[in-house]
């Protein structure tokens, strides 16, 4: 990460010095974007089907046999694009939630969205029969109606969001009260999930737990398309609100005195953040930690300027999920590890390192 | 008149704070609001700025009613420096540039950058311009908050106890900055304060509050032992030293 030299800090050369300072932040964004691109190429190359980089390259250009084409275009590419989009979505959702709720621990799980999605998936798999046993030895459990699971997870997570935001709007909840209400809802949905699982047969419990392991392999192009549209529209919305978020980061009173309608900004910010989280979690299952560490790592690099923090968080989210998914597919290939566990395994130490190193003046 | 306040009232749940407050402030005037803790000084400032909405009364700024104004319109007229300014992990330049928020459509312009730069220079913050605000001292942070409010190019500046966390040197420096701004730019300032002697050094007008109402308002002549006894319950004498009135507690 490029850093300003001490001399440059003290010898302020007016607007030009500031422009240089901004250019360095833009350079960080470019480095992150190039990293996403390179990792995407590496990720397309990685997998249990033996394809060399040349075969992958020619397949991407459309000059190769049908088998390679199926592996690349039907299996790997949707997965890679899903990693880029979902990583960006989860990270930017965390970024906006942390800003809107004035809490660095705010993430999709803080508002109870993740617990609600898990409850919805359990409801679909166990009560509505969307999960079942397979007779093959390799696949002991399977989800035979993924759309029902996705829809139930989405409805429940948006239901949780609407309850929280409804309470916040009707009862003028403070950011702290919103987080506490989220913890209460999370506990409620957790209890609901436990009760459903308590009365369920082993195979259905196994299917429900299998769903909670985040998996990018579940999506095909259609889901990737939906996820992409929702994420891109949300990113555009967040970009429009970046100055409002800069003001909110300076405190409620300051934001209001700078002309920000804080209640409205917070309501819609949380709604859109919850929406993209709900879509991502419903399609892919639980992928934790990205919403927490993505923005927290970038705030230490580009600072709390949301003009740069929003795109930087999105790009870092893509980097983390691409890395995690590639590792999940290759570490003990052909077994694919749960990507959610890998994000935490990769992100945890990285975050601890940054916390220990602290922020330089 | 820069600001006309008529019959403003505000109550927190089961706790009426402001009761029928009315006053006027002229262009280029510096007004000190005085009174005990909890009397409603900060609440009054927040009502004047729509940070909280007055439950009764009317406020007019530069002949325009506050009600019905958009947030951005109001922020172009009134700048606010809170008691404890909080800054996230941003540079001084970014923090001051944020004062241009009410004017920004999609992105900052060259004008915004120039105004922020001028405010940084006017408060002698150049050498800190690219440093992180949250690592600066209380006095420096207060100057950044003032520069940010000035970048809004307001007609009225509101200061909520701007010297409460500062040492003597910084108190005098910040007060002098406020006085200079008011004189040079012919804008009005409303400042809540606890230090009567500091208030007597710089304010043109004084508003003494008691029980959520204005107890007395006027020039230095209202700062009398009688009024101070009625507002603070403290007996004082007032001496004259080098042309300054000095309040000396008798207890």
């Amino acid at each position: 990460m490029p850093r300003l030299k001490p001399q440059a800090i003290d010898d302020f050369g007016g607007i030009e010095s500031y422009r240089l300072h901004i250019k360095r932040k833009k350079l960080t964004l470019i480095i992150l974007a190039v990293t996403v691109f390179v990792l995407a190429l590496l990720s397309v190359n990685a997998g249990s089907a033996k394809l060399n980089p040349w075969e992958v390259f020619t397949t991407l250009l459309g000059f190769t046999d049908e088998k390679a084409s199926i592996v690349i275009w039907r299996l790997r590419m949707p997965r890679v694009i899903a990693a880029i989009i979902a990583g960006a979505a989860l990270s930017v959702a965390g970024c906006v939630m942390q800003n809107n709720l004035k809490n660095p621990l705010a993430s999709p799980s803080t508002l109870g969205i993740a617990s609600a999605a898990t409850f919805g998936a359990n409801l679909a798999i166990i009560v509505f029969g969307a999960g079942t046993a397979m007779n093959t030895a390799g696949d002991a459990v399977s989800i035979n109606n993924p759309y029902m699971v996705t829809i139930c997870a989405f409805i429940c997570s948006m239901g949780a969001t609407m309850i929280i935001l409804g309470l916040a709007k009707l009862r003028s909840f403070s950011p702290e009260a919103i987080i506490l209400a989220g913890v209460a809802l999370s506990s409620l949905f957790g209890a609901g999930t436990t009760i459903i699982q308590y009365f369920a047969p082993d195979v259905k419990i196994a299917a429900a737990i299998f769903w909670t392991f985040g998996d990018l392999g579940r999506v095909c192009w259609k889901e990737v398309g939906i996820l992409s549209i929702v994420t891109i529209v949300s990113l555009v919305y967040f970009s429009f609100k970046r100055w409002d978020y800069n003001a909110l980061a300076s405190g409620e009173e300051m934001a209001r005195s700078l002309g920000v309608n804080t209640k409205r900004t917070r309501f819609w910010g949380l709604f859109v953040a919850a929406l993209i989280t709900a879509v991502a979690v419903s399609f892919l299952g639980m992928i934790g930690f990205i919403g927490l560490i993505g923005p927290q790592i970038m705030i230490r690099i580009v600072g709390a300027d949301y003009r740069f923090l929003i795109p930087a968080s999105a790009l870092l989210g893509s980097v983390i999920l691409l890395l995690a998914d590639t590792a999940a597919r290759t570490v003990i290939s052909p077994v694919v590890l749960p990507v959610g566990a890998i994000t935490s395994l990769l992100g945890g130490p990285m975050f601890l390192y940054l916390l220990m190193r602290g922020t330089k003046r | 008149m820069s600001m006309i306040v008529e019959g403003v009232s505000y109550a927190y749940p089961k706790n009426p704070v402001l009761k029928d407050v009315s006053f006027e402030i002229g262009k280029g005037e510096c007004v000190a609001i005085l009174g005990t803790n909890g009397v409603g000084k900060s609440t009054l400032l927040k009502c004047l700025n729509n940070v909280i909405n007055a439950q009764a009364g009317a406020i007019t700024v530069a002949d325009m009613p506050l009600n019905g104004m958009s947030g951005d319109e109001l922020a172009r007229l009134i700048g606010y420096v809170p008691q404890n300014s909080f800054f996230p992990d941003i540079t001084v330049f970014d923090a001051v540039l944020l004062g241009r928020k009410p004017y920004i459509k999609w992105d900052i312009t060259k004008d915004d950058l120039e105004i922020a730069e001028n405010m940084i220079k006017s408060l002698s913050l150049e050498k800190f311009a690219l440093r992180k605000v949250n690592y600066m001292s209380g006095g420096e942070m207060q100057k950044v908050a003032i520069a940010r409010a000035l970048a809004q190019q307001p007609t009225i500046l509101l200061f909520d106890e701007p010297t409460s966390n500062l040492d003597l040197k910084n108190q005098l420096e910040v007060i002098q900055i406020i006085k200079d701004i008011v004189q040079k730019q012919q804008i009005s300032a409303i400042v809540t304060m606890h230090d009567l002697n500091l208030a007597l050094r710089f304010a043109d007008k004084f508003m003494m509050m008691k029980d959520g109402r204005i107890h007395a308002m006027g020039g230095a002549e209202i700062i009398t032992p009688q009024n101070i006894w009625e507002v603070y319950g403290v007996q004082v004498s007032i001496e004259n030293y080098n042309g300054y009135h000095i309040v000396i507690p008798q207890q």
Side-chain angles (χ1 to χ4, degrees), chain B residues 7-39:
Chain B
V8 163
S9 299
Y10 187 85
Y12 293 106
K14 295 179 186 172
N15 179 24
V17 181
L18 295 177
K19 299 164 193 163
D20 196 23
V21 173
S22 302
F23 62 91
E24 291 181 359
I25 292 172
K27 208 174 173 184
E29 277 185 341
C30 200
V31 179
I33 304 180
L34 307 167
T36 53
N37 288 329
V39 77

Side-chain angles (χ1 to χ4, degrees), chain A residues 9-10 12 14-15 18-19 21 240 242-244 249-250 253-254 256-259 299 303-304 307 359, chain B residues 46 49-51 71 75 80 86 89 91 93-94 97 101 106 113-114 117 126-127 129 131 135 148 152:
Chain A
I9 289 172
D10 284 341
F12 179 57
I15 293 171
Y18 182 70
R19 285 205 169 118
H21 168 78
F240 269 104
R242 65 202 190 286
W243 281 100
D244 285 359
S250 295
E253 279 184 15
M254 205 56 243
R256 293 203 69 172
S257 73
L258 286 167
I299 210 167
R307 287 179 292 164
T359 313
Chain B
K46 287 173 191 170
N49 197 19
N50 260 7
V51 166
Y80 176 60
F86 169 79
D89 192 24
T91 65
F93 201 106
D94 288 321
L97 195 58
K101 203 242 144 227
W106 165 250
L113 289 170
E114 281 172 1
E117 187 189 18
E126 298 99 308
K127 72 172 183 174
R131 285 193 190 168
Y135 288 111
R148 177 175 58 190
Q152 289 172 241

Side-chain angles (χ1 to χ4, degrees), chain A residues 47-113:
Chain A
S48 50
K50 299 292 175 206
L51 294 172
N52 62 43
W54 177 249
E55 281 176 304
V56 172
F57 180 69
T58 51
T59 307
L60 287 173
L61 294 177
F63 306 113
T64 192
D65 62 79
E66 197 179 345
K67 184 198 151 201
S69 180
I70 288 170
V71 169
I72 298 296
W73 286 107
R74 290 211 195 149
L75 299 176
R76 291 188 189 169
M77 278 304 275
R79 197 177 180 117
V80 167
I81 303 295
I84 293 170
I85 299 292
L90 292 170
S91 185
V92 88
C95 174
V96 171
M97 284 179 182
Q98 285 165 23
N99 171 278
N100 285 194
L101 296 172
K102 290 192 282 189
N103 192 323
L105 290 174
S107 69
S109 55
T110 316
L111 288 182
I113 300 168

Side-chain angles (χ1 to χ4, degrees), chain A residues 12-311:
Chain A
F12 179 57
I15 293 171
E16 285 315 309
S17 289
Y18 182 70
R19 285 205 169 118
L20 182 65
H21 168 78
I22 292 299
K23 266 185 194 164
R24 287 171 179 174
K25 291 192 181 191
K26 286 179 181 168
L27 182 63
T28 308
L29 294 183
I30 292 168
I31 291 169
L32 279 168
V34 170
T35 309
V36 170
F37 182 73
V38 171
L39 280 174
L41 288 181
L42 291 173
S43 190
V44 171
N45 263 298
S48 50
K50 299 292 175 206
L51 294 172
N52 62 43
W54 177 249
E55 281 176 304
V56 172
F57 180 69
T58 51
T59 307
L60 287 173
L61 294 177
F63 306 113
T64 192
D65 62 79
E66 197 179 345
K67 184 198 151 201
S69 180
I70 288 170
V71 169
I72 298 296
W73 286 107
R74 290 211 195 149
L75 299 176
R76 291 188 189 169
M77 278 304 275
R79 197 177 180 117
V80 167
I81 303 295
I84 293 170
I85 299 292
L90 292 170
S91 185
V92 88
C95 174
V96 171
M97 284 179 182
Q98 285 165 23
N99 171 278
N100 285 194
L101 296 172
K102 290 192 282 189
N103 192 323
L105 290 174
S107 69
S109 55
T110 316
L111 288 182
I113 300 168
S115 300
T118 306
F119 174 79
N122 274 266
L123 203 66
I125 293 165
I126 296 169
V127 180
F128 302 143
T132 187
M134 299 275 284
N135 289 327
T136 57
D139 295 308
V141 291
S142 171
I143 291 167
N144 57 10
N145 192 343
Y147 280 102
M148 187 189 283
V149 179
T150 300
I151 289 166
C152 283
F154 181 76
I155 289 172
C156 286
S157 48
M158 284 314 290
T161 306
M162 295 316 292
I163 290 170
I164 297 280
L165 294 179
L167 283 172
K169 198 169 174 69
L170 294 173
R171 308 294 301 174
S172 294
F173 271 18
S174 64
E176 294 80 9
I178 293 174
I179 287 182
L180 290 174
V183 171
L185 264 193
S186 193
S187 172
L188 193 69
F189 280 114
T193 303
T194 307
I195 289 168
I196 290 175
Q197 288 181 350
Y198 186 77
F199 293 104
D202 293 352
V203 170
K204 289 196 172 184
I205 293 175
I209 291 173
F210 170 74
W211 181 88
T212 59
F213 300 154
D215 180 13
L216 294 169
R218 290 175 198 169
V219 290
C220 60
W221 282 113
K222 199 165 122 189
E223 285 90 15
V224 170
I226 295 169
L227 190 58
S228 302
I229 290 167
V230 174
T231 304
I232 290 166
V233 170
S234 304
L235 278 170
V236 170
Y237 173 78
F238 292 144
S239 298
F240 269 104
K241 304 300 278 183
R242 65 202 190 286
W243 281 100
D244 285 359
Y245 297 152
N246 274 344
L248 264 180
S250 295
E252 182 87 8
E253 279 184 15
M254 205 56 243
R256 293 203 69 172
S257 73
L258 286 167
V260 179
N261 184 333
T262 53
K263 282 183 186 167
R264 192 189 297 162
T265 301
R266 185 171 290 121
F267 179 90
W268 286 110
L270 291 176
F271 178 82
V272 176
L275 177 72
I276 48 176
T277 306
V279 173
V281 171
S282 306
F283 284 143
L284 306 170
M286 303 300 297
I287 300 172
F289 221 47
I290 292 180
L292 179 69
I293 58 168
Q296 282 301 314
I297 289 173
M298 286 323 300
I299 210 167
R300 284 161 174 78
I301 296 173
V302 297
D305 183 342
Y306 284 79
R307 287 179 292 164
F308 303 101
L309 188 57
I310 288 172

